Amino acid sequence: MADTFQRARSEEQRAVRRRAILDTTAAMLGEMPVAQVSLNELSRRVGLAKSNVLRYFESREAVLLELLATASQELLDHLDTALPEAVDAGAPVLERADRVAAALADALAARPVLCDLISAQAAVLERNVSTQVAAEHKRSSIGHAFALAHRVRLHVPELDERDAVRFVAGALMVATAAWPHAHPSPAVLAVYESDPELAVLRIDFTTALRESLEVLLSGLLARASH
């Protein structure tokens, strides 16, 4: 691959190289968590010197933020089908809200790479990027958040836009916190397995997220009714 990528002079060639970097990083995320994805290993796998990779993405984090944007859009595309299938439009509002919460929790749980990227977003991925990349990332994130809020309101129109956006923001914060707690270190897993009293702290990601989203939606709806 190194010979193939000796020169990239045209925009088309640059696009091909960027795509190769993104695809290689995505494949790595299928094998390892975000924390273990290194620029050195990415460079080796894609067949480029690290300095050449940095010509297309200013840092490892910039690559991962672009993959986060792609994964977020894929989630939205999935929900376009999953939400109508899960929610009975004629059901009472709280039932519809619970079905939206369950569908969103299931969709996120089925996307471990997306959840890992979300959980690393603020603490890691946004820490080693330029102002320009950060601005592009935030514009993308806002667009995805409002698009998700719109999809929620299609099935729970009792929420106004502001509360739908608040729900999405809360959902992302819960997912950010729940994901690492649901995937503890080997040492913590060993403790849970050896001491049943401590295992009470272990959480199931899908259950914790679904229950939190149910409470959040029902609370927003209750406040809206008053």
Side-chain angles (χ1 to χ4, degrees):
M1 187 174 292
D3 291 338
T4 303
F5 285 145
Q6 282 182 351
R7 294 181 178 86
R9 301 188 187 279
S10 71
E11 285 304 312
E12 182 179 355
Q13 289 172 324
R14 290 179 61 82
V16 168
R17 188 171 290 185
R18 282 177 59 87
R19 186 72 261 160
I21 293 169
L22 290 168
D23 289 346
T24 301
T25 308
M28 292 173 67
L29 289 171
E31 304 171 13
M32 62 189 74
V34 167
Q36 293 179 14
V37 175
S38 71
L39 193 57
N40 285 336
E41 179 62 12
L42 170 59
S43 300
R44 186 190 70 79
R45 292 195 186 198
V46 81
L48 287 169
K50 184 163 67 172
S51 59
N52 284 337
V53 172
L54 294 175
R55 291 180 181 176
Y56 298 94
F57 295 93
E58 63 181 39
S59 63
R60 175 193 80 118
E61 289 74 14
V63 180
L64 294 169
L65 285 176
E66 187 153 336
L67 287 176
L68 172 57
T70 300
S72 298
Q73 183 59 52
E74 191 277 330
L75 173 69
L76 293 172
D77 294 342
H78 165 78
L79 291 173
D80 283 337
T81 300
L83 285 174
E85 290 178 350
V87 183
D88 178 1
V93 59
L94 289 181
E95 181 180 332
R96 283 184 277 115
D98 283 353
R99 295 307 303 154
V100 167
L104 181 54
D106 289 343
L108 284 168
R111 290 162 175 77
V113 170
L114 174 58
C115 292
D116 199 17
L117 288 167
I118 289 172
S119 69
Q121 179 178 337
V124 178
L125 303 187
E126 296 178 355
R127 302 290 174 174
N128 187 32
V129 293
S130 65
T131 302
Q132 178 182 348
V133 168
E136 292 171 354
H137 161 62
K138 288 302 182 183
R139 290 189 187 98
S140 173
S141 296
I142 291 170
H144 289 133
F146 275 84
L148 180 52
H150 171 71
R151 284 159 174 77
V152 170
R153 290 193 69 212
L154 289 176
H155 303 282
V156 190
E158 291 83 356
L159 286 179
D160 62 19
E161 183 179 41
R162 177 173 178 271
D163 279 346
V165 171
R166 291 171 71 190
F167 168 70
V168 170
L172 293 175
M173 285 190 286
V174 173
T176 296
W179 183 256
H181 283 288
H183 299 82
S185 69
V188 173
L189 280 175
V191 168
Y192 288 161
E193 292 171 359
S194 65
D195 190 336
E197 291 186 359
L198 296 179
V200 70
L201 295 174
R202 188 172 184 178
I203 68 169
D204 174 75
F205 176 76
T206 309
T207 302
L209 183 58
R210 174 179 52 77
E211 291 178 346
S212 296
L213 298 189
E214 289 173 351
V215 171
L216 179 56
L217 264 180
S218 62
L220 289 168
L221 288 165
R223 290 174 63 90
S225 67
H226 294 295

